[in-house]
Amino acid sequence: MTRDEIFEFFRRLAEDDPAPQTELEYGNCYQLLVAVTLSAQATDVGVNKATAKLFACVKTPQDMLDLGEEGLREHIKTIGLFNSKAKNVMEMARLLVERFGGEVPSTREELVTLPGVGRKTANVVLNCWFGQETFAVDTHIFRVGNRTGLARGKTPDQVEAKLEKRVPAPFRLHAHHWLILHGRYVCKARTPECWRCKLADLCRYKPKTAAPRTAAAKVPVP
């Protein structure tokens, strides 16, 4: 995409949804960090169902330590990889209490030292809570970046680097939310819904997916 096309790409997304938010539910920064950690290879809907009761009693790292690993596992047993995630979340809570005074650090360098926290998770927390202009490249953003021609790369890190260079200043704070939501609901993995995409004329994906035939259209006219 050209620079002008990229600007128009995000202008349309912003016009549709001026202030997009993550679909994960949380009440504070620590709960956000836990939710994002649990969301790896899981849906936001599934994580929200599991954390609804968990976050009613766990609001701080110390609360998590008081709950204990067995109690945590009971809350998140419906989430994939819950055993390993429970171990990471408990160790994360311990380190947050011992090294950071129970507070979630505000730098990527510190965040990625926590168990279960990679660059993507750190970027989500930095963006959603601390208001930093980061690009958390998940499977949706990776797909949309490559498919549309916005930011092509063979790895998430390459796509992130392209976005860092190419996303215009007015749109940088919300860019990763727009791309995630667009990938989740319109530019889907198996069948992108090009027929209802407001970005189709800017997108490099070919061939565009046609609208599905309606049931009425399939019935032969007598």
Coordinates of all heavy atoms in Angstrom, one line a residue, residues 6-20 167-179 181-182 198-199 202:
I6 N -2.6 3.9 3.1 CA -2.5 3.5 4.5 C -3.3 4.5 5.3 O -4.0 4.1 6.2 CB -1.1 3.3 4.9 CG1 -0.4 2.1 4.2 CG2 -1.0 3.1 6.4 CD1 1.1 2.0 4.5
F7 N -3.1 5.7 5.1 CA -3.8 6.8 5.8 C -5.3 6.6 5.7 O -6.1 6.6 6.6 CB -3.4 8.2 5.4 CG -3.9 9.3 6.3 CD1 -3.2 9.8 7.3 CD2 -5.2 9.8 6.1 CE1 -3.6 10.8 8.1 CE2 -5.7 10.8 6.9 CZ -4.9 11.3 8.0
E8 N -5.8 6.4 4.4 CA -7.2 6.2 4.2 C -7.7 4.9 4.8 O -8.8 4.8 5.3 CB -7.5 6.1 2.7 CG -8.9 5.9 2.3 CD -9.9 7.0 2.7 OE1 -9.4 8.1 3.2 OE2 -11.1 6.8 2.7
F9 N -6.9 3.9 4.8 CA -7.2 2.6 5.4 C -7.6 2.8 6.9 O -8.6 2.4 7.4 CB -6.0 1.7 5.3 CG -6.1 0.3 5.9 CD1 -6.4 -0.8 5.0 CD2 -5.9 0.0 7.2 CE1 -6.5 -2.1 5.5 CE2 -6.0 -1.3 7.7 CZ -6.3 -2.3 6.9
F10 N -6.7 3.5 7.6 CA -7.0 3.7 9.1 C -8.1 4.8 9.3 O -8.8 4.7 10.3 CB -5.7 4.0 9.8 CG -4.8 2.9 10.0 CD1 -3.7 2.6 9.3 CD2 -5.2 1.9 11.0 CE1 -2.9 1.5 9.5 CE2 -4.4 0.8 11.2 CZ -3.2 0.6 10.5
R11 N -8.1 5.7 8.4 CA -9.2 6.8 8.5 C -10.6 6.1 8.5 O -11.4 6.5 9.3 CB -9.1 7.8 7.4 CG -10.0 9.0 7.6 CD -10.3 9.7 6.3 NE -11.0 8.9 5.3 CZ -12.3 8.7 5.4 NH1 -13.0 9.2 6.4 NH2 -12.9 8.0 4.5
R12 N -10.8 5.1 7.6 CA -12.1 4.5 7.6 C -12.3 3.6 8.8 O -13.4 3.6 9.3 CB -12.1 3.6 6.3 CG -12.1 4.4 5.0 CD -12.2 3.4 3.8 NE -11.9 4.1 2.6 CZ -11.8 3.5 1.4 NH1 -12.1 2.2 1.3 NH2 -11.5 4.2 0.3
L13 N -11.3 2.9 9.3 CA -11.5 2.2 10.5 C -11.8 3.1 11.7 O -12.7 2.7 12.5 CB -10.2 1.4 10.8 CG -9.9 0.2 9.9 CD1 -8.5 -0.4 10.2 CD2 -10.9 -0.9 10.0
A14 N -11.1 4.2 11.8 CA -11.4 5.2 12.9 C -12.8 5.8 12.8 O -13.4 6.0 13.8 CB -10.3 6.3 12.8
E15 N -13.2 6.0 11.6 CA -14.6 6.6 11.4 C -15.6 5.6 11.9 O -16.6 6.0 12.4 CB -14.8 6.8 9.9 CG -16.1 7.5 9.5 CD -16.2 7.9 8.1 OE1 -16.1 6.9 7.2 OE2 -16.4 9.1 7.7
D16 N -15.4 4.3 11.6 CA -16.3 3.3 12.1 C -16.3 3.1 13.6 O -17.4 2.8 14.2 CB -16.0 2.0 11.4 CG -17.0 1.5 10.4 OD1 -17.8 2.4 10.0 OD2 -17.0 0.4 10.0
D17 N -15.2 3.2 14.2 CA -15.0 2.9 15.6 C -13.9 3.8 16.2 O -12.7 3.4 16.2 CB -14.6 1.4 15.8 CG -14.6 0.9 17.2 OD1 -14.9 1.8 18.1 OD2 -14.3 -0.2 17.5
P18 N -14.3 5.0 16.6 CA -13.2 6.0 17.0 C -12.4 5.5 18.2 O -11.2 6.0 18.3 CB -14.1 7.2 17.4 CG -15.4 7.0 16.6 CD -15.6 5.5 16.6
A19 N -12.9 4.8 19.1 CA -12.2 4.4 20.3 C -12.3 2.9 20.6 O -13.0 2.5 21.6 CB -12.6 5.2 21.5
P20 N -11.7 2.1 19.8 CA -11.8 0.6 20.0 C -11.1 0.2 21.3 O -10.2 0.8 21.8 CB -11.1 0.0 18.8 CG -10.0 1.1 18.5 CD -10.7 2.4 18.8
V167 N 2.4 3.0 10.1 CA 1.1 3.5 10.6 C 1.3 5.0 10.9 O 2.2 5.4 11.7 CB 0.7 2.7 11.9 CG1 -0.6 3.3 12.5 CG2 0.5 1.3 11.6
P168 N 0.4 5.8 10.4 CA 0.5 7.3 10.6 C 0.2 7.7 12.0 O -0.5 7.0 12.7 CB -0.5 7.9 9.6 CG -0.9 6.8 8.7 CD -0.7 5.5 9.4
A169 N 0.8 8.8 12.4 CA 0.7 9.3 13.8 C -0.7 9.3 14.4 O -0.9 8.9 15.5 CB 1.4 10.6 13.9
P170 N -1.7 9.8 13.6 CA -3.0 10.0 14.3 C -3.7 8.7 14.7 O -4.6 8.6 15.4 CB -3.9 10.7 13.2 CG -2.9 11.2 12.2 CD -1.7 10.3 12.3
F171 N -3.2 7.5 14.1 CA -3.8 6.3 14.3 C -3.0 5.2 15.1 O -3.5 4.1 15.3 CB -4.2 5.7 12.9 CG -4.9 6.6 12.0 CD1 -4.3 7.1 10.9 CD2 -6.2 7.1 12.3 CE1 -4.9 7.9 10.0 CE2 -6.8 7.9 11.5 CZ -6.2 8.4 10.3
R172 N -1.9 5.6 15.6 CA -1.0 4.6 16.2 C -1.5 4.0 17.5 O -1.3 2.8 17.7 CB 0.4 5.3 16.4 CG 1.1 5.6 15.1 CD 2.5 6.3 15.3 NE 3.4 5.4 15.9 CZ 4.2 4.6 15.3 NH1 4.0 4.5 13.9 NH2 5.0 3.8 15.9
L173 N -2.1 4.8 18.3 CA -2.6 4.3 19.6 C -3.6 3.2 19.4 O -3.6 2.2 20.2 CB -3.2 5.4 20.4 CG -3.7 5.0 21.8 CD1 -2.5 4.5 22.7 CD2 -4.3 6.2 22.5
H174 N -4.5 3.3 18.5 CA -5.6 2.3 18.4 C -5.4 1.4 17.2 O -6.3 0.5 17.0 CB -7.0 3.1 18.2 CG -7.4 3.9 19.3 ND1 -7.4 3.5 20.6 CD2 -7.8 5.2 19.4 CE1 -7.8 4.4 21.4 NE2 -8.1 5.5 20.7
A175 N -4.3 1.5 16.5 CA -4.2 0.7 15.3 C -4.3 -0.8 15.5 O -5.0 -1.5 14.8 CB -2.8 1.0 14.6
H176 N -3.7 -1.3 16.6 CA -3.7 -2.8 16.7 C -5.1 -3.3 17.1 O -5.5 -4.4 16.7 CB -2.6 -3.2 17.7 CG -3.0 -3.5 19.1 ND1 -2.9 -2.5 20.1 CD2 -3.5 -4.6 19.7 CE1 -3.3 -3.0 21.3 NE2 -3.7 -4.3 21.1
H177 N -5.9 -2.5 17.8 CA -7.2 -2.9 18.1 C -8.1 -2.9 16.8 O -8.8 -3.9 16.6 CB -7.9 -1.9 19.1 CG -7.4 -2.0 20.5 ND1 -7.5 -3.2 21.2 CD2 -6.8 -1.1 21.3 CE1 -7.0 -3.0 22.4 NE2 -6.6 -1.8 22.5
W178 N -7.9 -1.9 16.0 CA -8.7 -1.9 14.7 C -8.4 -3.2 13.9 O -9.2 -3.8 13.3 CB -8.4 -0.7 13.9 CG -9.1 0.6 14.5 CD1 -10.4 0.7 14.9 CD2 -8.5 1.9 14.6 NE1 -10.6 2.0 15.3 CE2 -9.5 2.7 15.1 CE3 -7.2 2.4 14.3 CZ2 -9.2 4.1 15.4 CZ3 -7.0 3.7 14.5 CH2 -8.0 4.6 15.1
L179 N -7.1 -3.5 13.8 CA -6.7 -4.6 13.0 C -7.1 -5.9 13.6 O -7.5 -6.8 12.8 CB -5.1 -4.6 12.9 CG -4.6 -3.4 12.1 CD1 -3.0 -3.4 12.1 CD2 -5.0 -3.4 10.6
L181 N -9.8 -6.4 15.5 CA -11.3 -6.5 15.3 C -11.6 -6.8 13.8 O -12.6 -7.5 13.5 CB -11.9 -5.3 15.8 CG -11.8 -5.1 17.4 CD1 -12.3 -3.7 17.8 CD2 -12.5 -6.2 18.1
H182 N -10.9 -6.1 12.9 CA -11.2 -6.3 11.5 C -10.9 -7.8 11.1 O -11.6 -8.4 10.4 CB -10.3 -5.4 10.7 CG -10.6 -5.4 9.2 ND1 -11.8 -4.9 8.7 CD2 -9.9 -5.8 8.2 CE1 -11.8 -5.1 7.4 NE2 -10.7 -5.6 7.1
K198 N -15.2 -2.5 4.1 CA -15.1 -1.1 3.7 C -13.7 -0.7 3.2 O -13.4 0.4 2.8 CB -15.5 -0.1 4.8 CG -17.0 -0.3 5.2 CD -17.4 0.7 6.3 CE -18.9 0.6 6.6 NZ -19.3 1.6 7.6
L199 N -12.8 -1.7 3.3 CA -11.4 -1.5 2.9 C -11.1 -2.2 1.6 O -9.9 -2.2 1.2 CB -10.5 -1.9 4.0 CG -10.8 -1.4 5.4 CD1 -9.9 -2.1 6.4 CD2 -10.6 0.1 5.5
L202 N -8.9 -0.9 -1.2 CA -7.5 -0.6 -0.8 C -6.6 -1.8 -0.6 O -5.4 -1.8 -0.7 CB -7.4 0.2 0.5 CG -8.2 1.5 0.6 CD1 -8.2 2.1 2.0 CD2 -7.6 2.6 -0.4

